[in-house]
Amino acid sequence: MSTTTPEHRRIAFFGDDARLDVSAPTTQLVADALDAIGVSFESGRDVLLDRSGREVPPTTLIGDLADGSLLSIVDLGKAAATPPGLRAQATTTRADHRSTWWLLALSALLLAAGALGSLAAGAPLLAGAGRPWVALGLGLGALASAALWIVRSAPRGAGAAALVSTLTLAFAAGTLAVPDAVGATHLAVTIGLLSAAALGSVMAVAARDRVLRAIASTVSVLLVVYGSIWGMTLLLEWPMVAAAALTLGLVVPGIRFLPTVLLPVADGYAINYKHFMSSRWTVRGAIPQEPGAVMMEAIRPTVEVAAARLRTGTIALCLTAPIMALLVLPGFRDGGMMVRIGSIGVIAATVAALFLMPRHGTEPVIMWVSRGVAAVMVIEVAIAGAVSASTVSVTVLAVALLAVGIVAAALIVPLSKGARSLGWSRVGDKVESLSVALALPCALLAANVVELVRGMMSG
């Protein structure tokens, strides 16, 4: 004689004290399942929420829920236990605190933008004796903003904005401190980058919050690298275009290399199995110690710092690309054949990599910033080509852009069809790897390094 076994669903109930995993028949109500396991549930006081935060009535059948569903039991009485006056006071204090930092960040950015705009336009305010005073005022403003940032504990979002604005003030002050002379622009950018890097290093050391410390240290390291490139080219008496091309060529390799230095962990957490399976232990070999259990409370600070560094470094590198591209674009028509090839290659490789790299990430901000920067670079190339080209060239450029747009729109369908997109994804991986590999060599060609080194050796 055979018996029929009812179908079951695995449901997890999560409350204030513990998590309970049950297996209940599909014909049973959620309320009955709670009664069966001894959980007190009172309608009107308690509610059930699924993973998306949607309320699940207790009269729902178990069979209407997906297998492995997680239901959270929320006590509305405890949620309303916080005094309204205390909540209102905390909200008001937090809002005022954030508004102060955003006002400071906006004011600093406006002052720095006005100073740099006046420098570029050659305004009378920056001529003669007025220029050192403007530089001194911006420098004192940067120091005051940095001191306030260090002393007061800023929220992370507003604190990052205030950090960027403070370093922008320091960059503007260092730039305006250089008097007019031959090659002054190259020297001014170098001094501005090193000034911002020095102030950023002090802020990174003195920061109280670990995430803000990670953001400040990441920006400072990038500024030091940029300042070293511009300073080296200045000492070698290379043109400013060479410094811009080398900086642009480091953007894509920097984004690819950045994740490898973000999460320092002990040797016991990561084992190189290929090395251990192919090499024998020697007397000089060190066996990694057992790290023990990985607890969320212990690794959460490390993960937060690594995520902040990744976000800050990627965004900073991406925003560098369109600025440096403006200085590289004249090489399309003014340089020799090798310079033209290098200029076109470094911009094409950077655009392709910035479009394709976000496929591997899950951070929405990084994805949109990377692709937005790539689109801005495409627009810069199109505008530069339209301004300096003839009518026939403009027509050819417009037709080429239209064809690229049609091809991109046509690729959306096959890319969205699951298994069929695997082939396109592999093609994208190859193009991305090729772009990362060719970015720096093309930048060297765009900087005309071969001729510059030949001239140095012959001179």
Side-chain angles (χ1 to χ4, degrees), residues 18-407:
R19 166 176 167 167
L20 299 175
D21 297 324
V22 301
S23 178
T26 57
T27 57
Q28 192 177 26
L29 299 179
V30 174
D32 297 336
L34 291 173
D35 293 336
I37 60 178
V39 176
S40 176
F41 185 88
E42 181 180 345
S43 299
R45 185 198 67 180
D46 301 328
V47 294
L48 288 171
L49 301 178
D50 60 5
R51 295 178 185 269
S52 62
R54 183 177 53 189
E55 183 178 356
V56 177
T59 56
T60 304
L61 289 174
I62 296 294
D64 296 337
L65 301 176
D67 190 27
S69 298
L70 175 63
L71 301 180
S72 300
I73 305 174
V74 180
D75 189 349
L76 299 179
K78 293 183 179 180
T82 306
L86 183 60
R87 288 202 308 269
Q89 182 181 359
T91 304
T92 304
T93 304
R94 183 172 61 251
D96 294 341
H97 197 190
R98 291 182 178 179
S99 62
T100 302
W101 285 107
W102 282 112
L103 180 61
L104 173 64
L106 181 61
S107 302
L109 286 175
L110 289 178
L111 287 174
L116 293 179
S118 300
L119 174 64
L125 175 65
L126 302 177
R131 184 169 180 173
W133 291 105
V134 174
L136 179 61
L138 290 174
L140 293 177
L143 292 176
S145 177
L148 182 62
W149 187 88
I150 293 171
V151 172
R152 297 189 62 181
S153 179
R156 291 176 179 177
L163 169 69
V164 173
S165 61
T166 302
L167 298 184
T168 306
L169 274 178
F171 174 79
T175 302
L176 296 180
V178 179
D180 292 329
V182 178
T185 304
H186 197 165
L187 178 61
V189 174
T190 304
I191 297 299
L193 290 173
L194 295 179
S195 301
L199 184 59
S201 301
V202 175
M203 298 174 71
V205 172
R208 298 180 180 181
D209 186 80
R210 61 176 180 271
V211 175
L212 290 179
R213 189 184 306 117
I215 294 174
S217 61
T218 303
V219 175
S220 301
V221 170
L222 289 178
L223 290 174
V224 168
V225 174
Y226 292 161
S228 301
I229 294 174
W230 284 73
M232 180 190 66
T233 54
L234 179 64
L235 293 177
L236 295 176
E237 298 182 354
W238 290 3
M240 191 170 59
V241 177
L246 294 177
T247 306
L248 180 60
L250 290 177
V251 170
V252 173
I255 296 176
R256 174 61 68 86
F257 176 73
L258 188 62
T260 61
V261 296
L262 291 180
L263 195 61
V265 295
D267 294 335
Y269 286 104
I271 300 177
N272 189 350
Y273 287 100
K274 181 178 180 181
H275 171 74
F276 291 148
M277 295 298 291
S278 59
S279 304
R280 294 184 178 274
W281 291 103
T282 64
V283 293
R284 293 176 297 175
I287 302 176
Q289 297 181 356
E290 174 65 30
V294 180
M295 305 301 294
M296 182 60 66
E297 293 77 9
I299 67 173
R300 181 179 288 112
T302 304
V303 174
E304 288 181 354
V305 169
R309 288 176 178 172
L310 177 62
R311 189 182 306 110
T312 303
T314 305
I315 293 176
L317 287 169
C318 289
L319 295 180
T320 305
I323 300 175
M324 297 296 116
L326 293 175
L327 300 176
V328 178
L329 283 175
F332 282 18
R333 61 180 186 276
D334 298 336
M337 180 61 66
M338 300 304 295
V339 175
R340 293 181 182 179
I341 294 175
S343 301
I344 296 174
V346 66
I347 291 182
T350 304
V351 170
L354 291 179
F355 267 123
L356 295 173
M357 278 185 174
R359 298 178 302 119
H360 309 297
T362 58
E363 184 70 28
V365 176
I366 295 178
M367 296 172 62
W368 285 108
V369 169
S370 178
R371 289 170 178 169
V373 166
V376 170
M377 293 183 65
V378 172
I379 294 174
E380 289 178 352
V381 173
I383 294 176
V387 170
S388 61
S390 60
T391 306
V392 178
S393 300
V394 171
T395 304
V396 173
L397 179 62
V399 173
L401 291 176
L402 179 61
V404 171
I406 294 175
V407 172

